[in-house]
Each structure stands twice: as C-alpha cells, then as structure tokens.
Amino acid sequence: MFPERFSNLPAYAFPRLRALLDVHAPGGEVVHMTIGEPRHAFPDWITQEIAAHAGGFGKYPVNEGIPELLQAAGDWLGRRYGVALDPATRLMALNGTREGLYNAMMALCPEAKRGGRPAVLMPNPFYQVYMVAARSVGAEPVFLNATEDTGYLPDFGSVAPEVLDRVTVAYLCSPSNPQGAVASREYWAQAIALAEKHDFRIFADECYSEIYRDTPPPGVLEVAAEMGADPERIVAFHSLSKRSNVPGLRSGFVAAGPESIRQMRQLRNYAGSPLPMPLQHAAARLWSDEAHVIENRALYARKFDRADEIMAGVPGYAGPRAGFFLWLPVEDGEAAALRLWQETGVRVLPGAYLAQEAGGVNPGKGFVRVAMVAPEDETVRALTRLRACLYG
C-alpha cells in the first residue's frame, strides 16, 4: 500500500531532537540554537510593500515569477557575480529553495544512465532534502564524507569513474551547512570540469552566499561563465530566507540553462506552489536592496568574533568562514546535546542527525551544530554556558 523507497528514511532531525531532549527538564534559561531560522529584523518597508500589493491575494500567482521579480533577481546576479542571464529564459521563482532543490530532481534527473541506476552525489553531512529527492526518483544517493581532511567539502574527484559515469546530479552547498566551508574558484572549476567529462549536472545550493566574514564566496555561475561551460550543466539556487531574514516569506529562485528552466517550469505548471503575488513584489524589492544585507552581515560578523573569543583554546575549534553555524567538536554529539540541555537549557543539534553512515562512519557523530541566529547578547550568554559545560 505504501512506497518502499521511503520506508527506510531516518527520523527527521528536529522530531528526533525533541525525542532526545523533551523528556528531560532544561537546566537553565532555554536558548534555541538548533534550527537555522534567522532572528534578525527584516526591513520595515517589507510589510508596506506587501500591503501596497495586497489586492494580488485575490489572483492566482504567476507560476514562473512576475517579470519584476525575475528582473530583480537577474540584476542581483549581475551585481553579485558579474553574469548576465536573460530573466525570461534563465530564471524561475521558487516557493523557498527547498521546493526547488527537490523538484529540480523530479524535472531533470533521467530514469537511467548508461543502462544503470542513476547516482546522485551529495556531501555528508547535508541538507536532508538532497537525499529524499534522490530517492524519490529512484536514484542512488552517494554520500561523500565532508571532513577536516577534505576541507569540509565533498571530494568529487575521489569517486570511482564507473560511479561517476552513472551520476546525473551532484549537490553542493557553498557556503556549506553545517560547517561554513566555502568552495573556491578552483574547487568549482574542478567540479564543473568533472561534470562535463562525465555528463552530469551540478545543483549548487548557495542560500548562505551573503553571510560571510571577509571575502564574498565565489559562485558557480561566475566560474561556469568564465570556463564557457554548457549552461545546462549548472542549476544554482538562491534564497531570501538567510540573506534578508525572511524565512516565512518562502521566496527564492533558480538559475539554469534555458532547457532546464523550461523543463522545471513545465513540471511546476502541474505540481508547483507559486508564491502569492504580494510576496513576489516584496521579494523583488528585497533583491533590489543591498543596504539591509550589509547590516545583517555585520550583525553576524560581531557574533562570530565573540564566538572566537569564547571558544579560544577549545581543541579543534575553527570559526566558520561563512554561513551562521558553529560546527563544534565533541566526543559524542547526542551525549553532548543532552548534557548541555539538562545542565544549561541551551539546545543544540547533534551533528549525526545531519549525516548518514558512509564508509563505516557517520561524519557528524563527533560534532554539534550551533545556530548563531539569536541576538548578540543572548548568543554570548548561551555560548558562555556551552563553553563551561562542554569544554570546562
């Protein structure tokens, strides 16, 4: 009666965390540092923008995105990465990037490759939608452990050639969730060259691209353009959730080659959930404004500077280059998260909940993920308690 392809999915991270922690009382003021839900203020003018276009709630939304939104997204790509893409044929609006990361697999992954089951490469740990999307199309998820030895990014070049020949899609998140690692221009170029050699697509999840400490992370689109790569080889995803502190707006976009966009739009005509028109207008204005993004980035930078001070001397600690998570080394992530909750009231996520066992190990087991999304004073208090509890 039920499909077998989902029968062995692991419990999702946050219900699993609640089962671990909520049977115990917190040991202090509760501070949530588990989910990557931005808590900085979004621009005041967003509510005014939505109100100004509230009449659009009475209309069915434009499926692929209103022209104003697509143009704003295209203009932002030009300013940020120096690439010129035709918004009408190279972009599509998304109801959050999770929708796109999942449905792009439905639209673009073939049923077989070279007579065999398609394979999908993904980092490990990873955003869980990658695995579920692969299983939904009957593909084999191939987990590549992203550890300190690999710079916390997947080593695509380590994959056996016979597996690479079956690969249809490689997911890559840069800056990475949870480690905050950044793919260099050289890394992107090597990945693109490998994709061209073995004929697969790169799904680039770049939703943390605007939260960085020093240098803007390079993007897959700019490197692909410099290489003259086939535009159909690259599918890039961007979001307003982290950039603009509006996770509830559910607005992102995908950039890809014209035929990839056509295929995704066709599927979305049947199975998509377009963003309401007033929210599309709000999103267009957000992509057009950079001042609030600069202010937001500065708030995170101050918190990471404080984290470096508090965690100084912790063996294995390394402040992330980008994103808004700390990836803290511990002996056992579950035990550390439980102890921290029972003794201090601070909630963090065991790293193993974000990974799968591959090569006989779960690369997240010896870590906890800490979301640095709370206001600075709250974050500092929580990190001080965390340091004392877990590291002495």
Side-chain angles (χ1 to χ4, degrees):
M1 183 180 292
F2 299 105
E4 291 185 6
R5 62 185 178 275
F6 299 129
S7 62
N8 61 346
L9 287 181
Y12 197 63
F14 298 107
R16 192 175 173 186
L17 181 70
R18 290 193 291 271
L20 174 71
L21 301 185
D22 289 355
V23 294
H24 304 278
E29 173 197 4
V30 174
V31 181
H32 293 276
M33 307 184 84
T34 55
I35 191 168
E37 181 178 66
R39 290 173 56 191
H40 297 168
F42 54 78
D44 291 340
W45 41 259
I46 283 301
T47 53
Q48 301 166 12
E49 192 74 18
I50 293 171
H53 294 92
F57 283 123
K59 301 178 181 179
Y60 283 117
V62 176
N63 184 64
E64 64 272 14
I66 59 174
E68 296 91 333
L69 173 53
L70 298 181
Q71 186 65 56
D75 290 346
W76 177 78
L77 288 173
R79 295 191 302 273
R80 176 64 170 83
Y81 297 114
V83 295
L85 304 184
D86 176 16
T89 60
R90 299 288 303 277
L91 302 178
M92 183 177 76
L94 298 172
N95 195 331
T97 49
R98 179 164 63 175
E99 176 218 346
L101 289 162
Y102 183 86
N103 284 332
M105 187 69 72
M106 305 296 109
L108 302 178
C109 181
E111 290 80 4
K113 185 179 177 187
R114 299 180 187 267
R117 182 186 181 192
V120 175
L121 305 180
M122 61 194 69
N124 192 31
F126 59 97
Y127 186 36
Q128 302 296 292
V129 72
Y130 307 162
M131 175 181 67
V132 177
R135 289 183 174 178
S136 295
V137 297
E140 175 193 356
V142 178
F143 304 107
L144 303 179
N145 292 344
T147 64
E148 184 179 6
D149 291 341
T150 67
Y152 293 114
L153 293 168
D155 182 3
F156 294 132
S158 68
V159 180
E162 60 270 21
V163 176
L164 288 172
D165 284 340
R166 290 193 295 113
V167 170
T168 55
V169 169
Y171 280 105
L172 180 65
C173 184
S174 176
S176 66
N177 169 12
Q179 310 98 327
V182 172
S184 66
R185 304 179 80 85
E186 293 74 21
Y187 183 98
W188 279 124
Q190 291 169 7
I192 294 168
L194 201 65
E196 298 224 294
K197 179 179 179 180
H198 292 274
D199 189 26
F200 61 83
R201 285 184 171 89
I202 294 174
F203 283 8
D205 181 357
E206 298 183 292
C207 68
Y208 295 94
S209 68
E210 302 315 288
I211 302 175
Y212 53 85
R213 300 183 76 168
D214 301 307
T215 305
V220 68
L221 291 170
E222 61 180 314
V223 178
E226 291 167 0
M227 295 174 64
D230 180 356
E232 304 297 344
R233 194 69 60 198
I234 307 300
V235 185
F237 301 86
H238 286 275
S239 170
L240 289 172
S241 295
K242 280 73 175 176
R243 174 189 182 271
S244 300
N245 303 314
V246 286
L249 190 68
R250 305 312 306 137
S251 181
F253 71 86
V254 58
E259 181 59 21
S260 297
I261 290 293
R262 191 190 72 79
Q263 296 281 352
M264 286 187 281
R265 286 183 177 182
Q266 176 71 347
L267 177 63
R268 203 164 196 270
N269 283 330
Y270 291 95
S273 180
L275 193 68
M277 298 282 273
L279 305 190
Q280 292 198 40
H281 284 283
R285 185 166 176 189
L286 283 168
W287 285 115
S288 300
D289 181 77
E290 206 64 30
H292 75 282
V293 183
I294 295 171
E295 294 173 4
N296 187 45
R297 191 158 49 239
L299 294 176
Y300 282 114
R302 287 203 300 269
K303 287 190 285 187
F304 279 112
D305 287 344
R306 297 300 302 276
D308 289 347
E309 296 169 4
I310 295 167
M311 296 296 165
V314 170
Y317 170 77
R321 293 179 58 191
F324 54 44
F325 298 111
L326 298 183
W327 188 237
L328 298 180
V330 293
E331 185 173 346
D332 180 274
E334 270 196 332
L338 180 58
R339 178 184 173 190
L340 189 63
W341 172 248
Q342 289 181 297
E343 295 186 12
T344 73
V346 176
R347 292 175 77 97
V348 298
L349 189 67
Y353 292 7
L354 300 169
Q356 292 286 291
E357 184 173 309
V361 298
N362 182 316
K365 180 177 174 57
F367 294 88
V368 292
R369 191 188 76 173
V370 181
M372 302 278 284
V373 293
E376 183 177 351
D377 56 347
E378 184 179 342
T379 297
V380 168
R381 291 197 306 272
L383 289 180
T384 301
R385 288 150 61 190
L386 183 153
R387 167 69 194 259
C389 177
L390 299 184
Y391 305 107

